Every structure is written in C-alpha cells, then in structure tokens.
Amino acid sequence: QKEVEQNSGPLSVPEGAIASLNCTYSDRVSQSFFWYRQYSGKSPELIMSIYSNGDKEDGRFTAQLNKASQYVSLLIRDSQPSDSATYLCAVYNSGNTPLVFGKGTRLSVIA
Amino acid sequence: GAGVSQSPSNKVTEKGKDVELRCDPISGHTALYWYRQSLGQGLEFLIYFQGNSAPDKSGLPSDRFSAERTGGSVSTLTIQRTQQEDSAVYLCASSLAAGPYSNQPQHFGDGTRLSIL
C-alpha cells in the first residue's frame, strides 16, 4: 500500500509566525505533489503544486520537495487566523492511479 | 469558468432507500473521481473514471455502491439500500488528465452531504 503520511495535529501557531506542515510518502517514483486547504465544512481547494526538488514560493506559501528523503512540506509565513484549516498533502504515485491523499494536518492560528 | 458542480447539496433519506448523487465536471476534464468524507475524517477514495477506460472501482466499500459516467462527462453515484454508516459528505473531483506524468491537480466540487435517518 503506497501511503502519504501527515501528522494530524492540531498544530497551533501564534499569528504572524511561520507554520510548517510536513508530509512523507512511500512511493519513491512519485512525480507530482500538491497541497490542498480544507476549511471546516468545505471541500478541499488547491493551494500549491510542486514537481521538482527544491522550493516553490507563491505569496506567503512555500512548498518544499525532497525526493531523496521522500518528503514534501508547506511553509506558511506571517500566519493569519484565516489560515486555520486542515491541510491535505496529495501525491501521484506510479501507475495510472488517482491522487493519494494524506489524512491532513489541522492548523490553528491563534490571534 | 465553471467549477465542478454537484447536486443535491444536501440529501436526507430513510434507511433502506436508494439515492443518486450527481457530478458535472469541469468542461474538458477527462478524469473524474468520487470520494467520501465522514465527519472529522480524511478523504476515502471510491471510484475513478479516466476517459473511455474501464473505471477503477477499487475503493467502493460494497456492492450497494455503483457509479457511471455517461458521454464522458456527467457522473452519477448510486447507493442502494442505504445504511446509517453511509452518512457522509460525498465529494466529486475532476482533472484535465490523470496519472503521475500528467501533473494535473484535481479540482473538487462542494460535495453532497448525505444523511441517512
């Protein structure tokens, strides 16, 4: 079973701090990686994608990928209470299969 | 443009009844996925359609669940003889293509909240 693992949290950070969310995956040939944000009672929305080793920045969000260590992370700078949500890591494994989702990390940004 | 559309947004029905949930994917998206999410839980993959290929039904929890996709567009998820444990949010997603080399993310609809009394 090829899996995607995340700490369930909750991860609590003060407003203005950097939130760091981590994800590990088991399929070493995985190629595509995505972060989704899911507010309570809402559906997941795509916030970042990353395909190559290194960092990818988009506004306050930075995705980091290390294929050798099989982890992907999401940094949220200057965290705001509106960032409080569950963050889902998703990975395309090898083969013609759909995205595999982690169970998500719940982030709470305290004002 | 229009996103993934699901209907109904809410469905309440009695145990033992059949229900049909509808998903209209983003225009041009060849891949369509159904997931289930129980309260406070992660996404549970149910079934996946890719173009004209046979669907991947590996996630369907029982033979009471079935899905079809007509004309490569709209999909219907049917649950027969509903049970209380079927209560959940049913999410549909679509993507431009599928598989690891497509690099295409999935885009979700707002879901159908199903409650079995």
Side-chain angles (χ1 to χ4, degrees), chain A residues 31-43:
Chain A
Q31 297 291 327
S32 309
F33 308 86
F34 306 91
W35 283 99
Y36 287 78
R37 177 177 62 201
Q38 186 174 25
Y39 291 114
S40 181
K42 301 295 185 181
S43 61

Side-chain angles (χ1 to χ4, degrees), chain A residues 34-70:
Chain A
F34 306 91
W35 283 99
Y36 287 78
R37 177 177 62 201
Q38 186 174 25
Y39 291 114
S40 181
K42 301 295 185 181
S43 61
E45 61 176 319
L46 177 71
I47 54 172
M48 288 286 289
S49 60
I50 187 165
Y51 311 112
S52 303
N53 279 326
D55 295 359
K56 179 182 177 183
E57 187 174 318
D58 183 0
R60 294 187 296 111
F61 298 98
T62 298
Q64 299 176 318
L65 176 60
N66 184 322
K67 291 185 179 180
S69 300
Q70 295 177 232

Side-chain angles (χ1 to χ4, degrees), chain A residues 54-98:
Chain A
D55 295 359
K56 179 182 177 183
E57 187 174 318
D58 183 0
R60 294 187 296 111
F61 298 98
T62 298
Q64 299 176 318
L65 176 60
N66 184 322
K67 291 185 179 180
S69 300
Q70 295 177 232
Y71 84 77
V72 57
S73 61
L74 179 70
L75 301 179
I76 306 174
R77 290 182 300 282
D78 187 23
S79 296
Q80 301 297 308
S82 58
D83 295 326
S84 298
T86 296
Y87 289 80
L88 303 171
C89 174
V91 176
Y92 267 129
N93 288 328
S94 56
N96 192 24
T97 57

